[in-house]
Amino acid sequence: MTATGKLKVALLLPLSGRARDIGTSMLEAAEMAIFDGAGRDIAIMPVDSGDTPDRAVAAVERAAQNGAVILLGPLFGPATAAAAPAARDANLEMVSFSNDEGVAQPGVYPMGLGVQTQVRRVADYALAQGIRRFAVFAPATAYGDQATLALRDAVTARGGSVVAAERFNFSGGNLTGSAGRVTQAAGAEGRTAVLLPVAGPPLAAAAQALEATSPDAKKAQSIGTGIWDTPTIAADGNLDGAWFAAPDPARRADFERKYTAVHGKAPHRLATLAYDAVNMAAKLARARPGGDFTAAALADPEGFRGLDGLFRFRSDGRVERALAVLEIGKDQVRVIDPAPSSLDRPTN
């Protein structure tokens, strides 16, 4: 504990290196959580995890030596995987900010907005609207591979089918890769949803490539993930009517306004993760005298509520989130299926 009797919560963030701007924004969000009430029970202990796995390992060791009761961070998947043994040796649970479900394991909980959860949510919604045929036009990246696999798993488990899957590369403003099978599927009889798990200029190029290959591409229902959750997404006319899964933006609107008023700039999109993690740690600190930071406490089936909605951890380290489905219009994005107010009981 600190001299004032507060439990020490380590915040492992890249406060130096290439990602320092992200780390700084997340630290500022964590400080807001302390000022908003979490500081009654805990004190945050920022530790620079840099932008390499070795720095993350050293950060875990430093946090343990200084009396941390739980580790919040690091940010990246490779750093999380590298630091996990050090956390285990220190007998500390690690709640990482990574969105890589692949690094999840008992004692290591990546709380980021993972692609698997988002794909499952938007696919479930599409199936509920009567769509049974799906296709995917994904970047040739690890994220694209994860999204494709998640779509296959989610759709086939619920009676649908992925009828086409193609990859593309994007470099120097140019997209290369065939979209023929995807557009052929879009033009076939019956409604088809096409997953485009990419954002920014590559997203615009992918949508244009589909339309250029065949006008039948417009018949498909475009679907996406939370990487579409940007202030400018509605400006892309090729995405009118598209659906994607993400936290309800209304829940974090007040936080973003307060952050901007204090710091004179908008927070990084990942800043809410730090805010939510600090509040989660404060809740665990109040669970019993001396706090309860055990694996059982983290896997509470009731979960935790935050700016990014309701979330909970499974015993295998994976996170489950209650996400909304949003629709892109000509000048706005609106929620068309609200995030559920509770999560089903886990089966593991």
Side-chain angles (χ1 to χ4, degrees):
M1 292 186 177
T2 64
T4 57
K6 296 177 182 178
L7 295 164
K8 295 180 180 179
V9 171
L11 197 60
L12 314 181
L13 293 170
L15 302 176
S16 62
R18 292 167 294 179
R20 62 183 178 275
D21 289 344
I22 303 175
T24 299
S25 186
M26 295 180 75
L27 175 58
E28 290 167 347
E31 291 169 342
M32 287 179 62
I34 290 294
F35 294 135
D36 287 345
R40 290 191 295 268
D41 306 285
I42 62 173
I44 56 173
M45 183 169 57
V47 184
D48 184 9
S49 58
D51 54 9
T52 67
D54 287 345
R55 292 283 301 279
V57 173
V60 169
E61 294 170 346
R62 189 157 61 252
Q65 291 166 1
N66 284 281
V69 295
I70 191 172
L71 305 170
L72 305 182
L75 175 58
F76 301 111
T80 300
R88 185 165 54 249
D89 290 345
N91 198 30
L92 291 173
E93 304 296 306
M94 174 188 286
V95 179
S96 165
F97 298 122
S98 170
N99 66 355
D100 184 358
E101 203 173 77
V103 302
Q105 56 184 283
V108 179
Y109 311 86
M111 70 173 292
L113 302 172
V115 62
Q116 294 89 347
T117 300
Q118 297 164 54
V119 170
R120 286 193 290 266
R121 176 66 169 101
V122 74
D124 280 348
Y125 180 77
L127 287 159
Q129 308 312 304
I131 298 175
R132 292 291 179 270
R133 292 165 46 85
F134 292 79
V136 56
F137 192 41
T141 62
Y143 188 90
D145 292 342
Q146 291 176 9
T148 300
L149 180 60
L151 184 68
R152 290 189 188 279
D153 289 346
V155 169
T156 56
R158 293 160 178 79
S161 60
V162 177
V163 297
E166 294 187 294
R167 302 287 193 277
F168 64 82
N169 289 289
F170 185 82
S171 178
N174 297 313
L175 183 143
T176 57
S178 172
R181 289 195 298 273
V182 173
T183 54
Q184 183 179 5
E189 185 176 349
R191 198 174 178 195
T192 302
V194 176
L195 175 66
L196 296 169
V198 67
L203 172 60
Q208 291 167 5
L210 290 173
E211 186 175 344
T213 302
S214 171
D216 286 339
K218 287 191 172 182
K219 297 179 182 179
Q221 172 65 54
S222 294
I223 59 175
T225 65
I227 56 174
W228 288 8
D229 188 11
T230 66
T232 60
I233 192 67
D236 191 333
N238 288 319
L239 294 173
D240 285 350
W243 303 331
F244 68 98
D248 186 337
R251 295 187 63 89
R252 64 177 188 270
D254 286 343
F255 161 80
E256 291 175 339
R257 283 192 289 269
K258 287 172 61 178
Y259 182 102
T260 301
V262 171
H263 298 288
K265 60 181 180 180
H268 191 278
R269 179 62 188 89
L270 298 181
T272 51
L273 292 178
Y275 186 96
D276 288 351
V278 169
N279 279 313
M280 176 198 70
K283 180 180 178 181
L284 295 173
R286 294 190 294 268
R288 67 187 187 196
D292 186 356
F293 300 93
T294 62
L298 281 165
D300 181 352
E302 298 302 320
F304 306 92
R305 294 187 182 276
L307 298 175
D308 285 321
L310 177 65
F311 66 99
R312 71 177 175 204
F313 297 110
R314 295 162 51 112
S315 60
D316 62 4
R318 288 184 293 169
V319 68
E320 297 176 337
R321 287 187 172 274
L323 300 175
V325 176
L326 298 91
E327 182 177 68
I328 300 171
K330 293 186 180 302
D331 55 3
Q332 65 176 349
V333 175
R334 66 186 184 97
V335 173
I336 56 173
D337 193 35
S341 59
S342 64
L343 292 165
D344 295 334
R345 288 278 177 178
T347 57
N348 60 318

